[in-house]
Amino acid sequence: MPTTSPDPCIVVIFGASGDLTSRKLIPSLYEMDSLGLLPKETAIVGVSRRPKEDDAWRSELESDARANAVGFDDAKWRAFAQRISYYAGDATKSDCYPGLAAKLDAMHEERGTRGNVAFFLSVSPDLYAPIVRQIDAAQMVVEGKRWCTLDPVSANWQRIVIEKPFGHDSASAAALNRELAQVFDESSIYRIDHYLGKEVVQSINVFRFANTMFEPVWNHRYIDHVQISACETLGVDDRVAFYDQTGAIRDMIQSHLMQVLAFVAMEVPCRMAADDIRAEKLKVVRSIRSVSPDAVASSCALGQYAGGSDVVAYHDLPGVAKDSTTETFAAIRLQIDNWRWAGTPFYLRSGKRLAQKRTEVVVQFKPPAADLFRGVPHPLGVPAGNRLILRIAPDEGARLTFESKVPGRRMSIKPVHMDVDFRKEFGSEAVEAYGPLFLDVMSGDQTLFKHRLEVEGAWDAVMPYLSEASNAARKSIESNYAPGSWGPASADAMMARDGRAWNTD
Ligand SMILES: NC(=O)c1ccc[n+]([C@@H]2O[C@H](COP(=O)([O-])OP(=O)(O)OC[C@H]3O[C@@H](n4cnc5c(N)ncnc54)[C@H](OP(=O)(O)O)[C@@H]3O)[C@@H](O)[C@H]2O)c1
């Protein structure tokens, strides 16, 4: 939704030798460049501790870009690679900065990037605050908090992009927000969630607000419930150390799924502008009912995958604590206490080693007020129509399922589908979600980035499921679901208690 074009700038990536940088960040910047969307002045400086020559780093990055970027082209890569350089230093130490600042100054002069810098923290979360303090101490932020003292026309900018996880709980997220606010203005802080770079998440707004069909029925009077799922077939693999401290609620639900929920549930903003959209999303997050401790166990299902023929059980992975109750599967039920959604539950589910990779929003409409087709045979036993599915992954698309008469003399009813595959419809291959988000940072468009209060509100909403009140649900978590299944029996039981079932379409 950017309304302005990206400014020339230098992107400084802290954590240059890391996995995220080479698998996602650099390929996504390359994609933007090869589509002609990156301003020609843009330069990229990678910072991490191990020493490397520019050319050595460029060749390291090339194989991941070749594997991950859409339509990789050797000549375009060679041209793009000239924008990239490396700076070796410990970003938590002050002696890293005089040299880095001098390098950036020379590059601004040479490339015409006007003093604009987008810092990207692609390092372990415990380094976020120490690095921000060093950036401040080195006086590399001349806009940020001090923007109002500059002439806004000629002012350059310094922005910071922060990866997830943003905090470990409500208190640590609030503490990190305070640290950031000492150095950067809120309008210069970009808390990134790459899910929001996915086309279909952004198209929720268009779907809801550019059509008249859905908005009038988008409320508790017509919608029975909403399911937001992010299911993966992969396990924890080599991320054990990180994952055993994190789990599905922190890793997926608090961040990505809560963002999707906010877009699905928000009120109509007065304009399609970042501040207005963020204000509406924030109201949703703040309207989530706080679950009382005695209701936690009945409104969640937690699991850990068991072993299989070629799968090591989560509990048996080297590095997982002996008594670990970290969930590799979580489903929670949330209630939004506002006029639009009172009484319509939102079910959020995420897990590893599940039957299928699928990320989707399922909007289940209520059955008709009067069932005129009572007694009419239905092949599924129960009506399954009146359902809208927005698919986010692996393929982006939408499916509308509605009840239809089976042709023939006898009256019989069966659900049928109307499907849209966005890739087939629009013909373009999906680019890596980080690319458009980088352009938003360069354009100063925060629509798809999280506000401070939104992050804290999302933590508040999930904290009951991480607190002692969740112990009952964690008690028998070990190996309670088979790899390749849809999660523990308790997830189905939770839905069944509400008279509902997870979507299997
Ligand atoms: N990987 C993903 O797909 C993914 C997805 C979502 C979010 N994230 C988040 O993104 C961040 C980075 O993840 P990652 O997987 O890329 O981690 P990673 O592979 O461990 O990379 C982090 C890099 O930071 C560098 N580093 C460590 N200490 C440093 C210091 N003091 N100064 C400068 N550089 C330092 C390290 O390189 P040196 O040893 O050379 O210094 C390391 O290669 C994390 O916060 C993660 O949670 C990652």
Side-chain angles (χ1 to χ4, degrees):
M1 286 160 255
T3 48
T4 54
S5 45
D7 290 336
C9 75
I10 303 177
V11 178
V12 177
I13 302 177
F14 292 101
S17 355
D19 172 72
L20 183 70
T21 303
S22 70
R23 265 191 329 107
K24 304 270 186 186
L25 304 185
I26 295 293
S28 71
L29 285 162
Y30 162 75
E31 283 176 348
M32 294 300 101
D33 189 37
S34 66
L35 291 169
L37 300 173
L38 218 52
K40 65 178 184 343
E41 300 88 347
T42 315
I44 300 152
V45 176
V47 182
S48 47
R49 290 166 304 178
R50 64 199 86 168
K52 275 180 217 196
E53 296 300 321
D54 290 345
D55 278 339
W57 191 44
R58 289 174 189 144
S59 343
E60 271 173 37
L61 295 171
E62 183 177 338
S63 57
D64 267 338
R66 198 177 280 282
N68 294 308
V70 170
F72 185 87
D73 175 277
D74 286 284
K76 284 185 178 172
W77 169 262
R78 277 195 298 277
F80 171 73
Q82 293 314 305
R83 296 171 180 270
I84 303 176
S85 59
Y86 186 79
Y87 184 83
D90 182 337
T92 61
K93 303 266 163 52
S94 60
D95 60 8
C96 171
Y97 288 85
L100 178 61
K103 179 178 171 75
L104 298 191
D105 284 346
M107 289 173 77
H108 287 309
E109 190 73 26
E110 185 194 325
R111 301 193 67 100
T113 37
R114 308 181 202 158
N116 297 333
V117 183
F119 297 104
F120 194 118
L121 297 185
S122 179
V123 287
S124 147
D126 54 319
L127 303 186
Y128 294 166
I131 293 178
V132 168
R133 276 182 229 129
Q134 292 298 350
I135 292 173
D136 186 36
Q139 300 187 338
M140 292 173 87
V141 182
V142 293
E143 186 227 29
K145 239 181 149 30
R146 284 148 274 197
W147 67 273
C148 50
T149 61
L150 293 170
D151 165 11
V153 177
S154 62
N156 53 27
W157 52 255
Q158 292 79 43
R159 297 173 184 152
I160 187 146
V161 188
I162 323 266
E163 253 304 336
K164 69 152 213 182
F166 195 96
H168 194 68
D169 52 22
S170 290
S172 56
L176 179 56
N177 275 327
R178 280 194 296 274
E179 290 269 5
L180 286 166
Q182 311 242 340
V183 183
F184 292 92
D185 186 75
E186 181 63 25
S187 63
S188 301
I189 302 172
Y190 290 72
R191 299 174 190 83
I192 200 164
D193 185 335
H194 69 273
Y195 256 50
L196 300 189
K198 293 184 188 287
E199 282 291 342
V200 77
V201 177
Q202 297 176 49
S203 70
I204 292 172
N205 282 343
V206 177
F207 189 87
R208 289 186 57 194
F209 306 133
N211 297 302
T212 50
M213 268 183 295
F214 295 105
E215 201 45 34
V217 293
W218 208 258
N219 56 56
H220 69 96
R221 278 187 294 282
Y222 297 97
I223 294 181
D224 177 71
H225 74 279
V226 177
Q227 299 175 18
I228 303 176
S229 297
C231 306
E232 295 176 71
T233 51
L234 296 176
V236 173
D237 299 328
D238 52 358
R239 293 172 73 220
V240 174
F242 160 78
Y243 201 85
D244 206 39
Q245 299 294 316
T246 308
I249 294 177
R250 288 189 168 93
D251 191 34
M252 296 297 292
I253 293 185
Q254 183 278 336
S255 51
H256 304 316
L257 298 196
M258 215 48 111
Q259 282 296 302
V260 176
L261 176 144
F263 274 104
V264 171
M266 74 179 187
E267 289 302 318
V268 188
C270 56
R271 289 176 311 153
M272 273 297 149
D275 286 351
D276 302 294
I277 293 173
R278 291 194 340 160
E280 296 307 335
K281 283 169 65 203
L282 179 56
K283 285 186 211 163
V284 172
V285 173
R286 291 183 134 186
S287 305
I288 295 174
R289 184 185 302 169
S290 178
V291 184
S292 66
D294 51 349
V296 165
S298 63
S299 59
C300 78
L302 304 175
Q304 273 179 359
Y305 58 82
S309 53
D310 52 358
V311 171
V312 179
Y314 176 75
H315 206 264
D316 297 335
L317 287 171
V320 170
K322 239 185 158 53
D323 54 353
S324 168
T325 59
T326 302
E327 72 288 350
T328 61
F329 175 98
I332 64 174
R333 181 183 57 215
L334 296 177
Q335 200 68 55
I336 300 173
D337 277 335
N338 65 18
W339 278 45
R340 186 185 282 264
W341 295 115
T344 296
F346 282 69
Y347 298 93
L348 273 53
R349 167 179 69 157
S350 182
K352 293 198 173 289
R353 294 262 181 233
L354 297 183
Q356 269 178 33
K357 177 176 171 64
R358 59 159 66 179
T359 304
E360 64 185 14
V361 178
V362 178
V363 179
Q364 178 64 54
F365 290 89
K366 289 186 173 173
D371 184 4
L372 300 181
F373 299 100
R374 265 190 308 271
V376 172
H378 195 292
L380 302 178
V382 290
N386 271 308
R387 177 174 287 191
L388 172 72
I389 303 176
L390 299 169
R391 293 204 198 287
I392 300 169
D395 300 313
E396 299 187 338
R399 162 173 280 197
L400 187 61
T401 304
F402 52 93
E403 300 291 346
S404 186
K405 180 182 174 300
V406 179
R409 276 196 63 239
R410 281 186 58 233
M411 175 58 86
S412 168
I413 293 181
K414 188 176 174 231
V416 291
H417 310 300
M418 281 169 61
D419 284 306
V420 187
D421 177 327
F422 289 148
R423 176 147 15 137
K424 280 195 197 134
E425 192 62 32
F426 298 111
S428 58
E429 233 182 308
V431 291
E432 170 52 55
Y434 279 97
L437 294 172
F438 265 119
L439 297 183
D440 286 353
V441 174
M442 297 174 190
S443 312
D445 185 330
Q446 290 186 303
T447 309
L448 299 175
F449 297 83
K450 300 182 247 189
H451 187 274
R452 173 174 67 85
L453 297 174
E454 211 180 323
V455 176
E456 293 176 21
W459 273 117
D460 290 343
V462 301
M463 283 317 292
Y465 300 101
L466 296 166
S467 70
E468 275 188 12
S470 71
N471 286 354
R474 290 177 193 277
K475 204 171 51 207
S476 46
I477 195 173
E478 186 183 331
S479 296
N480 68 355
Y481 70 95
S485 70
W486 283 112
S490 54
D492 292 335
M494 172 178 123
M495 290 298 256
R497 278 196 300 277
D498 293 355
R500 301 181 173 110
W502 295 106
N503 174 53
T504 52
D505 271 1

